[in-house]
Amino acid sequence: MENKPVILIVNDDGYEAKGLKAMVEIAKDFGEVYVVTPDSSRSGMSHAITIGTPLRLRKYHQEEGVEYWRTNGTPVDCVKLGQRVLLKDRKIDLVLSGINHGSNSSASVIYSGTMAGAIEASFEYPAIGISLLDYAPDADFTAAIHFGKIIVEKVLKEGLPEHVCLNVNVPVLPIEQIKGIKITRQTNGYWEEEFVEQSDPYGGKCYWLSGHLVDIDHKEDSCQWALDNGYISVQPVQYDLTAYSALNNIKYLEDEFKR
């Protein structure tokens, strides 16, 4: 396997997630695979890292062409441990994050541990985050595996722009009903949120976050439109958060000190 690409897989749903098994199914056809995932769900962790607690990295399984490791850290920790500890003397050719149980379209991308893993990896490597729009633990990943293999094969062959990763979202449809792949931009939307108040066993108040995505965009080049209309959304994402269109708009702050 020495001539095969080295592929690192991370996720935010934990080492027992069905989506992880689906991602391994994609990757093992293309390279030598190393899996580093959290020891339990870390959904919604965004780009959190662990700095106040020692991190542990334990190997728990091995099969032909695939090594499985788990850690007490976050998805971004998984990338860092894979990069700096497990594979420190190896060239990583591709990092895959997911397959996530649930959508990472629109504003969800900023909360997503799955996409944080891909974005962290994109500092140095080509990276792809894949999500299926089904939160069920026993979700059917058949279509995500099928199209995931197509996307991974093309990226390994053609590459990605420097410091850019892909945010891939797959609708919950059979393979034959998916209309194709659309290159999209992030939908202009937000989460309509509420906290459901409950009581704990001691009579104190506690709160569960709930909500739904509000799409205020509806344009055909957006990720949410693609998903709502039976397409797989493939969105290029970068870690540079600069609002370039606003640079000139706030020049007045700079000018204030020239007086």
Side-chain angles (χ1 to χ4, degrees), residues 104-141:
N104 276 316
S105 65
S106 188
S108 297
V109 70
I110 66 172
Y111 304 109
S112 168
T114 298
M115 282 311 300
I119 292 167
E120 174 69 24
S122 73
F123 293 179
E124 297 190 41
Y125 316 112
I128 307 170
I130 303 180
S131 303
L132 175 69
L133 277 63
D134 190 337
Y135 291 91
D138 62 345
D140 183 355
F141 286 89

Side-chain angles (χ1 to χ4, degrees), residues 103 105-108 187-192 211-215 223-224:
S103 172
S105 65
S106 188
S108 297
T187 294
N188 184 9
Y190 63 93
W191 277 90
E192 184 81 39
H212 63 277
L213 182 69
V214 178
D215 179 0
C223 60
Q224 200 60 46

Side-chain angles (χ1 to χ4, degrees), residues 19-70:
L20 174 62
K21 297 179 178 67
M23 189 66 98
V24 172
E25 186 67 25
I26 292 171
K28 69 182 183 181
D29 285 351
F30 300 103
E32 185 178 352
V33 180
Y34 295 86
V35 175
V36 181
T37 57
D39 54 16
S40 61
S41 175
R42 301 289 195 279
S43 294
M45 293 294 290
S46 188
H47 219 95
I49 58 174
T50 302
I51 57 174
T53 303
L55 289 171
R56 304 184 187 280
L57 184 62
R58 293 192 173 99
K59 186 176 181 179
Y60 66 94
H61 184 61
Q62 182 162 353
E63 58 193 42
E64 185 178 356
V66 187
E67 284 188 16
Y68 295 82
W69 298 73
R70 65 189 182 208

Side-chain angles (χ1 to χ4, degrees), residues 1-2 4-8 27 30-34 65-66 90:
M1 298 196 63
E2 292 180 359
K4 286 194 173 185
V6 173
I7 300 174
L8 173 64
F30 300 103
E32 185 178 352
V33 180
Y34 295 86
V66 187
R90 303 288 302 278

